[in-house]
């Protein structure tokens, strides 16, 4: 899960830097007044979200399989401890 999160942050940072560069060279419009940073942050979120969804599909599926395995193990331990309590 940490790997997926770091990769997603990396995609966001890459989008932010690319969009900041495009705004700096005036390919994209600047924000109104002092809102330039906010404009680039929002645009970076909008661009990086679908990119992360497509590019990180395999990593997300692997992370979700790990979470499911951990939950199943925890459920098994809980069921075992319940059965031990019932036996006493």
């Amino acid at each position: 899960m940490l790997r997926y999160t770091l990769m997603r942050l990396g995609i966001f940072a890459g989008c932010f830097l690319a969009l900041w560069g495009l705004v700096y060279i005036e390919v994209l419009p600047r924000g109104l007044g002092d809102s330039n940073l906010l404009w680039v942050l929002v645009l970076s979120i909008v661009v990086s979200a679908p990119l992360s969804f497509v590019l990180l599909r395999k990593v997300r599926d692997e992370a979700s399989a790990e979470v499911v395995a951990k939950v199943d193990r925890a459920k098994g331990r809980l069921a075992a401890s319940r059965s031990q309590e019932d036996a006493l």
Side-chain angles (χ1 to χ4, degrees):
M1 200 60 157
L2 178 65
R3 180 176 163 222
Y4 172 74
T5 302
L6 291 174
M7 291 175 80
R8 186 148 187 201
L9 285 173
I11 289 175
F12 172 76
C15 287
F16 178 79
L17 291 174
L19 291 171
W20 185 269
L22 291 173
V23 168
Y24 183 75
I25 62 173
E26 297 181 1
V27 172
L28 293 175
R30 293 186 183 273
L32 297 174
D34 293 331
S35 66
N36 193 35
L37 179 63
L38 182 62
W39 161 250
V40 176
L41 282 172
V42 169
L43 194 56
S44 298
I45 290 170
V46 169
V47 170
S48 70
L51 283 175
S52 295
F53 183 74
V54 172
L55 296 175
L56 300 179
R57 178 170 297 169
K58 184 178 177 185
V59 178
R60 185 177 56 251
D61 290 343
E62 290 171 0
S64 114
E66 289 177 16
V67 168
V68 167
K70 287 180 183 179
V71 167
D72 288 343
R73 282 194 305 267
K75 284 182 180 179
R77 286 192 304 265
L78 182 61
S81 71
R82 282 185 183 165
S83 65
Q84 287 177 351
E85 289 176 5
D86 292 340
L88 296 175

